[in-house]
Amino acid sequence: QITLKESGPTLVKPTQTLTLTCTFSGFSLSTSGVGVGWIRQPPGKALEWLAFIYWNDDKRYSPSLKSRLTITKDTSKNQVVLAMANMDPVDTATYYCAHNMNPPFGWFDPWGQGTLVTVAS
Amino acid sequence: SYVLTQQPSVSVAPGQTARITCGGNNIGSKSVHWYQQKPGQAPVLVVYDDSDRPSGIPERFSGSNSGNTATLTISRVEAGDEADYFCQVWDSSGGHFYVFGAGTKVTVL
């Protein structure tokens, strides 16, 4: 059974860097054909894809946020970390990580429970 | 960038059929995935690769994809199907992007 769980601060100040950790079980990110993505959802709004990391450490980012995002993995800890620089109140959202079985074409399944991050001074 | 268009809302009586559409330029050439999201919960995959269902998803959920429109169909709608539904594709034009539709709120009357 694959599970993922996001962790990190619930409140960050404008201009700070947000660091979120996705801790997973039930699969290995060293296995060929596997990836983990980050997706966010502002309150009451749509899902927005942020970043993706492949088993071979290939990394992809949303064009609109690429300059602010860094995604890394620690295979030994079964973790994927997302850093987002220069946070702004518009970045207030629930942040999800999700497993992808057949990247890049594949679907996200399952998802973590999500973590709500509020950006405010 | 690639855009997916969904109708904001669909209302359906219990026992009837709900059809949720996802429009995109030549979307029929892409694999479309659908997610169900209930209030306060994470999205759950209900259809992948246009028309396949993950284990545990009722047969009432089905999908199709052709031309410029993909469709998620919920047959014999139940009260528990009330949720937001999002479509998603992977787009390679100009890069590598995962794209989500804006979502459709399904209300069971």
Side-chain angles (χ1 to χ4, degrees):
Chain A
Q1 178 191 7
I2 292 173
T3 64
L4 307 96
K5 187 174 183 178
E6 306 85 353
S7 59
T10 57
L11 178 66
V12 298
K13 297 182 186 306
T15 75
Q16 288 186 334
T17 294
L18 170 68
T19 300
L20 295 173
T21 300
C22 175
T23 303
F24 57 85
S25 63
F27 69 97
S28 172
L29 250 184
S30 59
T31 300
S32 177
V34 174
V36 170
W38 283 94
I39 302 105
R40 72 178 179 179
Q41 185 175 38
K45 296 188 177 181
L47 300 167
E48 178 185 20
W49 170 67
L50 301 176
F52 192 88
I53 191 163
Y54 286 77
W55 76 95
N56 60 2
D57 211 35
D58 189 11
K59 302 164 186 177
R60 306 291 173 153
Y61 298 100
S62 166
S64 62
L65 294 166
K66 184 175 183 178
S67 63
R68 299 172 54 203
L69 295 173
T70 304
I71 190 170
T72 58
K73 65 181 176 73
D74 186 331
T75 304
S76 65
K77 293 183 178 179
N78 280 352
Q79 291 180 334
V80 172
V81 175
L82 180 74
M84 179 180 288
N86 194 23
M87 293 291 285
D88 183 270
V90 299
D91 297 313
T92 294
T94 296
Y95 288 75
Y96 298 98
C97 62
H99 167 265
N100 189 307
M101 182 65 174
N102 185 29
F105 316 102
W107 49 93
F108 292 103
D109 178 56
W111 297 52
Q113 65 187 25
T115 184
L116 175 61
V117 178
T118 301
V119 184
S121 54
Chain B
S1 61
Y2 195 79
V3 176
L4 295 175
T5 301
Q6 295 185 243
Q7 70 263 58
S9 62
V10 168
S11 296
V12 58
Q16 299 304 303
T17 297
R19 293 181 179 84
I20 304 157
T21 60
C22 178
N25 183 32
N26 197 25
I27 195 174
S29 66
K30 302 180 182 298
S31 290
V32 180
H33 319 301
W34 291 91
Y35 304 89
Q36 176 194 68
Q37 186 180 35
K38 297 182 178 180
Q41 298 184 18
V44 172
L45 181 74
V46 292
V47 166
Y48 65 96
D49 279 352
D50 298 339
S51 59
D52 291 333
R53 273 177 294 103
S55 60
I57 301 300
E59 292 183 5
R60 301 184 297 102
F61 289 83
S62 62
S64 63
N65 184 19
S66 178
N68 293 318
T69 304
T71 303
L72 174 69
T73 301
I74 310 173
S75 304
R76 302 181 298 283
V77 167
E78 302 175 357
D81 298 332
E82 186 163 290
D84 293 322
Y85 292 84
F86 297 90
C87 57
Q88 177 247 311
V89 301
W90 174 69
D91 179 53
S92 60
S93 58
H96 169 306
F97 315 119
Y98 292 100
V99 182
F100 288 91
T104 296
K105 169 66 176 178
V106 171
T107 300
V108 180
L109 301 172

